[in-house]
Amino acid sequence: MDPLQNDETSSLYLIGILVSVNIAVFLFEIASPIRKPDFELFSLPLLYGAKINHLIMVGEWWRLVTPMFLHAGICHMTLSCWAIVTFGPQVCKGYGSFTFFLIYILGGISGNMISFLHTADPTVGGTGPVFAIIGAWLMYQIQNRDVIANDASDDMFRKAIIVTTLGFILCNLGPIDEWTHLGAALTGMAFGFLTSPSLELNDASSGGSGGQEEGLKLVRKHGDSCKSLIVFTIFIIALSSLLFFMEPPLNALAAEDLECM
């Protein structure tokens, strides 16, 4: 029981840290407003960390990573944190804390990358990692559907629908891109398909003074951390290679600036 308790404790710490980082960055956004009513990015973190295509093309590559911690308002941030707290423990329990962290980072990067390649609008991607987590959770449910309780799965599936619906609504209310959500979700599902551990039902028996009791024992297996890291690296290389074969869209003003340079 001690290793199990330690793993659950580390998972809670990791989830708490990710939620705290998201909240802290959002508070910094509120504390550093940019007073330009015609400017869509309204704070310093968004100004220097949001996905802006033409700035990425001139060398600001960190903008493919930093948007995963940025949010476009209190509703966006609340949805992100609620989804992390809701689905994070489930994914940590199934895949392990380390693989959960890789899924979170990979979802953020892949969502920003897909957004970079499909839309010219400046965007933030704080809910991108959330959709990767949901995608990985969904693959875990599918691959272990024979041994997972349907009632619990149905409840989580309804919550996934709520997150998806609210995410779609928010895409129409601020610098949030549906390509980020789609790219992160598909990446999470693909990563989950390749790394999802399996649950097994093994025969279990216990002897006693009155005889022997027989039954089934649920054996939970965490994902292989080394395998997860290898798959993560392959995904990052594959996503990076897209930059050499696809031209990102630019708005008219940014295109003119690049031509002048």
Side-chain angles (χ1 to χ4, degrees):
M1 292 298 294
D2 288 339
L4 179 60
Q5 292 177 350
N6 291 336
D7 188 67
E8 290 179 352
T9 301
S10 64
S11 298
L12 292 177
Y13 275 124
L14 176 58
I15 292 169
I17 290 172
L18 291 175
V19 171
S20 299
V21 169
N22 280 283
I23 294 175
V25 173
F26 180 71
L27 293 176
F28 183 36
E29 292 178 23
I30 296 176
S32 57
I34 297 175
R35 303 189 182 281
K36 292 183 178 181
D38 58 335
F39 199 58
E40 190 174 6
L41 302 176
F42 48 81
S43 71
L44 284 178
L46 272 62
L47 179 62
Y48 291 104
K51 187 226 73 177
I52 303 177
N53 284 15
H54 71 280
L55 294 180
I56 295 174
M57 293 184 67
V58 297
E60 297 186 9
W61 295 102
W62 65 84
R63 293 179 181 273
L64 293 173
V65 178
T66 51
M68 76 172 75
F69 300 107
L70 301 176
H71 297 86
I74 184 66
C75 293
H76 191 209
M77 189 273 297
T78 302
L79 176 64
S80 178
C81 292
W82 177 72
I84 293 173
V85 171
T86 300
F87 290 92
Q90 302 298 321
V91 175
C92 285
K93 185 184 297 184
Y95 291 85
S97 301
F98 180 71
T99 301
F100 164 77
F101 180 71
L102 292 182
I103 294 170
Y104 188 94
I105 298 300
L106 181 62
I109 295 175
S110 64
N112 295 329
M113 188 83 71
I114 298 301
S115 176
F116 171 65
L117 295 173
H118 285 88
T119 178
D121 297 330
T123 58
V124 295
T127 43
V130 164
F131 281 87
I133 293 171
I134 293 175
W137 169 82
L138 182 61
M139 292 308 302
Y140 183 83
Q141 298 294 309
I142 292 174
Q143 296 195 20
N144 296 285
R145 58 186 178 275
D146 294 332
V147 294
I148 294 180
N150 291 331
D151 292 341
S153 299
D154 291 343
D155 180 61
M156 294 297 294
F157 187 73
R158 284 191 291 269
K159 292 178 180 178
I161 293 176
I162 292 173
V163 173
T164 303
T165 302
L166 293 177
F168 177 78
I169 294 173
L170 290 174
C171 286
N172 299 293
L173 301 177
I176 308 167
D177 178 27
E178 63 271 11
W179 283 108
T180 302
H181 296 165
L182 178 62
L186 293 178
T187 301
M189 292 177 67
F191 190 89
F193 176 77
L194 295 173
T195 62
S196 175
S198 59
L199 295 175
E200 297 179 355
L201 289 174
N202 292 343
D203 291 332
S205 59
S206 58
S209 59
Q212 187 177 34
E213 297 181 359
E214 296 183 353
L216 293 176
K217 179 181 179 181
L218 182 63
V219 179
R220 184 183 301 276
K221 296 182 179 180
H222 283 327
D224 187 339
S225 297
C226 292
K227 178 182 178 181
S228 297
L229 184 59
I230 292 172
V231 174
F232 175 85
T233 303
I234 294 173
F235 267 89
I236 293 296
I237 294 174
L239 290 169
S240 301
S241 66
L242 294 177
L243 300 176
F244 297 100
F245 300 102
M246 298 181 65
E247 187 72 19
L250 299 172
N251 56 44
L253 182 59
E256 291 178 2
D257 291 342
L258 285 178
E259 289 177 0
C260 293
M261 296 176 62

